[in-house]
Amino acid sequence: MDKVKIGVIGLGRLGMVHTEHLVTLISDAEVIAVCAVDKEQLMFAEENFGVTTYDDYKKMIDEAPIDAVVIVAPTGFHPEMTEYALNAGKHVFCEKPLGLEMPEVEDMATQINAHSDLVFQLGFMRRFDASYRHAKEIIDANGIGDIIYIRAYGIDPISGMESFTKFATDNDSGGIFVDMCIHDIDLIRWYTGMDPVETWAVGNDIAAPQLKAIGEFETGVATLRFENNMVATLIGGRHAAHGNQVEMEIMGSNGWIRIAQEPEKDFVTLFTNAGVVRPSMQSFSERFEEAFITELKDFIVNVKTNCQSDISVDDGIKALKIAKACKVSAETGDVVKIELS
């Protein structure tokens, strides 16, 4: 296989990012077709990427001469799209999370496992970020001793509130823990090799009271306790006035690791009568651009070599179950036992 021929499903913010990367930066991939329900998005893709456009993903999978699909549609559609693509003999890259409802996700996992000849890869892109990978190397080498505590932030820019509110009004996002904190849940499992046994979580809409009407928390905070009493704190939100704020602190028995304490855009500092200013990254796609590119390159290599991803469907299921337990705790105020078996 010279080039992996791709069909992209979903042309929202991240769908456009993935499509542009596949078209312009990944030489072993060729985007043949894209699918979306928004006509303006399809026109943009046709004019700028030279691809065939569809408004029906099944028709695209059935008709377009593609080897694989990249699914960037709303989360609730991930299971049905993945199953349809696999049954059509296509490799699948699917954005996180796997889905919203566990019965659908369990059926999805059954289909993924039944198609072991096809590559399935889940979009936990932070595993491909250089800083998080470096932290993993230090942890695996026992560079900070035993992990005692992890604190993880994931705060989107408040400038994206309007578009998110529209999206969450039209689609079920899964809530702050499933939609956002699931990245950190996956990283915590990856770093520790352990799963939490219980969680207590809270949420509020102080910074965006309009979200209460659609059943969304603007800010969510969850505490995870592990069998050995290690503790992790997850903080997710959509209210960062300065830009995208993503960071993690890992406290060990013999040292600490801090990743991305400040979302610095570059090495420029501006000194004026308004004070000292450092430009900040304004979106997650900017902060994790290289990670997004690297994970897609990894998917293409896996397809060409018929090698399964290091990120398993079981990783996706466990992260989703943990995130959903956090959501239940925040909604009920109760400590929730986390059942992963």
Side-chain angles (χ1 to χ4, degrees):
M1 184 184 297
D2 182 26
K3 289 190 175 185
V4 178
K5 295 178 173 59
I6 302 288
V8 179
I9 306 175
L11 290 175
R13 182 172 50 164
L14 185 53
M16 282 294 187
V17 169
H18 280 327
T19 303
E20 183 174 0
H21 288 163
L22 286 164
V23 169
T24 62
L25 297 174
I26 302 177
S27 60
D28 287 343
E30 180 181 2
V31 179
I32 299 294
V34 297
C35 176
V37 295
D38 187 301
K39 292 182 179 179
E40 289 186 4
Q41 292 174 347
L42 292 176
M43 288 177 58
F44 180 90
E46 185 175 16
E47 292 171 3
N48 290 273
F49 303 134
V51 296
T52 303
T53 61
Y54 294 85
D55 59 9
D56 182 330
Y57 79 88
K58 292 181 179 180
K59 189 175 181 181
M60 184 191 79
I61 291 171
D62 292 341
E63 294 183 359
I66 57 176
D67 305 305
V69 296
V70 173
I71 299 173
V72 209
T75 303
F77 295 103
H78 290 181
E80 66 175 72
M81 290 177 172
T82 295
E83 291 180 39
Y84 195 89
L86 291 172
N87 288 327
K90 312 302 181 185
H91 304 280
V92 175
F93 176 93
C94 181
E95 265 305 326
K96 64 78 197 168
L98 288 171
L100 295 176
E101 302 300 329
M102 290 312 305
E104 294 179 357
V105 170
E106 297 286 359
D107 289 343
M108 176 187 185
T110 298
Q111 288 297 314
I112 292 169
N113 292 327
H115 290 85
S116 58
D117 57 321
L118 297 170
V119 173
F120 174 82
Q121 186 160 329
L122 184 61
F124 280 138
M125 84 294 185
R126 293 189 196 178
R127 292 199 191 196
F128 295 90
D129 178 77
S131 296
Y132 287 101
R133 290 175 76 91
H134 186 199
K136 171 70 169 168
E137 293 170 0
I138 295 170
I139 291 166
D140 289 349
N142 200 35
I144 60 170
D146 297 324
I147 296 177
I148 298 169
Y149 174 71
I150 297 176
R151 175 187 61 83
Y153 272 83
I155 315 292
D156 274 356
I158 200 167
S159 59
M161 185 66 71
E162 183 177 350
S163 63
F164 170 75
T165 302
K166 183 180 184 304
F167 172 82
T169 300
D170 298 335
N171 305 273
D172 184 355
S173 76
I176 195 78
F177 299 106
V178 171
D179 186 36
M180 293 187 65
C181 295
I182 198 166
H183 278 298
D184 289 318
I185 291 170
D186 177 65
L187 287 172
I188 290 166
R189 293 187 64 251
W190 190 45
Y191 285 154
T192 65
M194 298 188 296
D195 293 310
V197 295
E198 65 181 9
T199 183
W200 181 71
V202 294
N204 67 55
D205 294 301
I206 295 170
Q210 70 272 23
L211 294 184
K212 188 173 183 179
I214 56 174
E216 285 274 355
F217 288 125
E218 182 279 319
T219 293
V221 180
T223 298
L224 304 176
R225 186 182 70 82
F226 292 72
E227 191 69 47
N228 68 346
N229 286 326
M230 191 206 91
V231 176
T233 302
L234 307 170
I235 306 171
R238 308 182 189 279
H239 66 271
H242 59 280
N244 189 247
Q245 183 76 34
V246 179
E247 61 181 90
M248 178 175 279
E249 189 170 73
I250 306 159
M251 183 187 300
S253 59
N254 193 37
W256 292 12
I257 299 171
R258 181 172 288 154
I259 306 166
Q261 181 184 6
E262 297 174 358
E264 295 177 349
K265 184 179 180 68
D266 50 37
F267 297 106
V268 171
T269 302
L270 178 63
F271 298 85
T272 70
N273 57 1
V276 181
V277 178
R278 293 294 304 270
S280 294
M281 293 180 179
Q282 296 299 307
S283 69
F284 70 91
S285 57
E286 183 180 18
R287 163 63 181 87
F288 290 107
E289 182 177 18
E290 290 301 320
F292 282 127
I293 295 168
T294 304
E295 71 169 351
L296 286 174
K297 286 182 176 179
D298 185 69
F299 174 64
I300 298 302
V301 169
N302 288 339
V303 170
K304 294 186 73 171
T305 59
N306 197 30
C307 179
Q308 288 297 335
S309 168
D310 291 337
I311 305 172
S312 70
V313 66
D314 190 54
D315 288 326
I317 288 175
K318 288 184 175 179
L320 180 58
K321 286 183 175 179
I322 294 164
K324 288 176 78 69
C326 294
K327 180 181 179 181
V328 170
S329 178
E331 291 173 344
T332 64
D334 298 330
V335 174
V336 174
K337 298 289 185 183
I338 298 174
E339 302 291 342
L340 298 180
S341 58

